[in-house]
């Protein structure tokens, strides 16, 4: 089975690369945004011609929520427009596209977990482009799996976990938003799920998927402030950081209110469909902390 992974510098792709090193039963082809520029149709068509992939894992995305408000064209091309061309290529080569979307397609007015069938109403331009990108795939692709994720964390790149850990080890105070609520999602757990799909391909039939699911870790709904406290409390079992976790509102921190106040998503449909048990995010955090101390 041949698998193209776009956006190889992303958190999810980094976890896939690490897991692939220990599992060479599949042929993975990792491309960064330059070598697989999804706005360059001829370039990506050449990659499809040479590889003839069974799966395209699209990790390419414009994810800076604040900058997206000013960089509309770039954000819209990456998250939305170019997905039409990717979907068309995948149809031509009978390739299943696995794409990652976001909890920011919701407006945050709900008080219980969002289901896949709930109405969408993104507040940010970023969220709007991700929602339109979903529609491009759904309306064009013959075979697709869209996974909405939230609050990604991993050992790689800039994310909230690494931001807090750096502050804690330097004994610097952490200002953390206390009025946005969701469920953290481990990029490693997403990688675990992808390899689960590959190993069980004969039962799942990846060539016959047309589904959108919510993929978030199991575990409680938290604010960024509560998540930072959890990280510090777990770290302090072995390292006594003098940092303070200081609550701050989203508007004070971001100077904008374009993020949903509440965006926790229900992962029950995915668990039921694939019989895949998703790890509690607290366990994922504990594992990262243990590895972080070894660096």
């Amino acid at each position: 089975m041949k698998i193209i992974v776009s956006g190889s510098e992303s958190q999810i792709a980094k976890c896939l690369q690490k897991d692939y090193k220990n599992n060479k039963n599949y042929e993975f082809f990792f491309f960064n945004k330059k070598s697989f520029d999804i706005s360059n149709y001829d370039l990506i068509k050449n990659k499809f011609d040479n590889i003839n992939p069974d799966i395209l894992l699209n990790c390419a995305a414009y994810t800076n929520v604040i900058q997206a408000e000013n960089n509309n064209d770039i954000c819209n091309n990456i998250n939305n427009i170019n997905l039409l061309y990717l979907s068309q290529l995948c149809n031509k080569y009978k390739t299943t596209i696995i794409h990652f979307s976001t909890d920011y397609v919701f407006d945050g007015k709900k008080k219980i977990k969002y289901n896949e069938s709930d109405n969408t109403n993104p507040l940010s331009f970023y969220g709007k482009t991700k929602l339109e990108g979903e529609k491009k795939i759904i309306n064009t692709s013959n075979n697709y799996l869209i996974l909405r994720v939230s609050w990604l964390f991993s050992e790689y790149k800039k994310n909230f976990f690494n931001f807090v850990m750096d502050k804690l080890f330097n004994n610097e105070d952490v200002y953390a938003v206390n009025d946005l609520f969701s469920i953290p999602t481990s990029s490693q757990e997403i990688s675990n799920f992808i390899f689960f799909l590959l190993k069980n391909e004969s039962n799942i039939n990846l060539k016959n998927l047309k589904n959108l699911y919510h993929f978030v870790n199991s575990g409680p709904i938290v604010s960024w402030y509560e998540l930072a406290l959890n990280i510090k409390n777990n770290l302090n079992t072995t390292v006594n950081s003098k940092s303070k976790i200081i609550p701050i509102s989203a508007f004070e921190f971001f100077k904008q209110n374009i993020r949903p106040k509440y965006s926790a998503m229900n992962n029950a449909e995915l668990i039921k469909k694939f019989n895949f048990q998703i790890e509690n995010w607290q366990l994922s955090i504990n594992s990262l902390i243990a590895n972080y101390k070894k660096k």
Side-chain angles (χ1 to χ4, degrees), residues 84-105:
L84 172 64
Y85 311 128
L86 278 183
S87 298
Q88 291 171 339
L89 271 177
C90 286
N91 288 346
K92 179 179 179 180
Y93 290 86
K94 295 183 173 57
T95 302
T96 299
I97 181 171
I98 300 179
H99 176 72
F100 300 97
S101 190
T102 175
D103 55 328
Y104 280 30
V105 299

Side-chain angles (χ1 to χ4, degrees), residues 22-270:
N22 300 320
N23 191 338
K24 295 296 182 70
N25 294 328
Y26 314 96
E27 288 188 80
F28 273 77
F29 302 84
F30 292 93
F31 297 109
N32 60 26
K33 60 184 178 182
K34 183 177 180 179
S35 59
F36 196 88
D37 179 357
I38 63 174
S39 66
N40 187 332
Y41 182 83
D42 290 336
L43 175 65
I44 59 175
K45 183 180 182 301
N46 180 260
K47 294 291 193 296
F48 270 75
D49 285 339
N50 291 334
I51 296 171
N52 193 16
D54 298 286
I55 295 172
L56 167 65
L57 277 164
N58 184 40
C59 298
Y62 189 104
T63 59
N64 192 308
V65 178
I66 293 177
Q67 290 183 12
E69 296 298 312
N70 297 316
N71 296 333
N72 287 184
D73 289 344
I74 297 173
C75 178
N76 191 47
N77 283 336
I78 296 172
N79 292 346
N80 174 27
I81 301 299
N82 295 329
L83 296 183
L84 172 64
Y85 311 128
L86 278 183
S87 298
Q88 291 171 339
L89 271 177
C90 286
N91 288 346
K92 179 179 179 180
Y93 290 86
K94 295 183 173 57
T95 302
T96 299
I97 181 171
I98 300 179
H99 176 72
F100 300 97
S101 190
T102 175
D103 55 328
Y104 280 30
V105 299
F106 298 112
D107 60 17
K109 294 181 179 179
K110 198 176 179 184
K111 301 304 179 185
I112 59 175
K113 291 179 181 178
Y114 281 96
N115 296 315
E116 287 85 349
S117 58
D118 285 328
N119 291 332
T120 53
N121 184 33
L123 303 177
S124 63
F125 188 80
Y126 161 75
K128 291 174 183 176
T129 63
K130 293 297 286 185
L131 177 59
E132 290 304 312
E134 290 181 4
K135 293 176 182 178
K136 288 286 189 301
I137 293 173
I138 291 169
N139 293 331
T140 307
S141 295
N142 294 331
N143 304 290
Y144 66 85
L145 176 62
I146 299 171
L147 301 176
R148 287 180 181 151
V149 302
S150 61
W151 293 14
L152 284 179
F153 66 89
S154 70
E155 63 185 289
Y156 303 107
K157 294 178 69 69
K158 292 181 180 179
N159 60 68
F160 189 71
F161 171 80
N162 285 330
F163 167 76
V164 173
M165 289 293 284
D166 288 344
K167 293 284 189 183
L168 294 178
F169 271 95
N170 290 318
N171 291 307
E172 298 175 4
D173 293 340
V174 179
Y175 288 85
V177 172
N178 67 346
D179 57 353
L180 300 182
F181 298 88
S182 195
I183 301 175
T185 307
S186 163
S187 298
Q188 180 58 55
E189 195 66 5
I190 294 173
S191 179
N192 293 344
F193 176 65
I194 296 300
F195 277 95
F196 169 86
L197 293 179
L198 297 177
K199 291 173 184 175
N200 294 277
E201 193 278 333
S202 58
N203 295 323
I204 294 171
N205 191 3
L206 293 175
K207 291 290 185 181
N208 194 34
L209 283 178
K210 298 186 77 169
N211 301 102
L212 180 152
Y213 292 106
H214 292 167
F215 190 106
V216 295
N217 276 65
S218 300
I221 300 163
V222 289
S223 66
W224 291 112
Y225 171 71
E226 291 167 326
L227 177 56
L229 284 177
N230 178 279
I231 295 170
K232 182 185 177 183
N233 290 338
N234 280 286
L235 177 65
N236 277 3
T237 59
T238 53
V239 177
N240 187 24
S241 173
K242 297 178 181 178
S243 302
K244 296 178 182 178
I245 310 297
I246 301 171
I248 187 172
S249 72
F251 185 77
E252 287 179 285
F253 192 85
F254 296 114
K255 310 303 180 187
Q256 291 173 311
N257 280 326
I258 56 174
R259 290 167 171 77
K261 292 282 187 182
Y262 180 99
S263 61
M265 297 187 293
N266 190 345
N267 61 15
E269 285 299 315
L270 181 138

Side-chain angles (χ1 to χ4, degrees), residues 272-289:
K272 178 181 177 182
K273 166 68 176 178
F274 297 104
N275 193 26
F276 179 81
Q277 295 302 313
I278 309 176
E279 185 175 72
N280 187 305
W281 64 260
Q282 294 164 309
L283 296 177
S284 298
I285 289 286
N286 290 347
S287 177
L288 278 182
I289 289 174

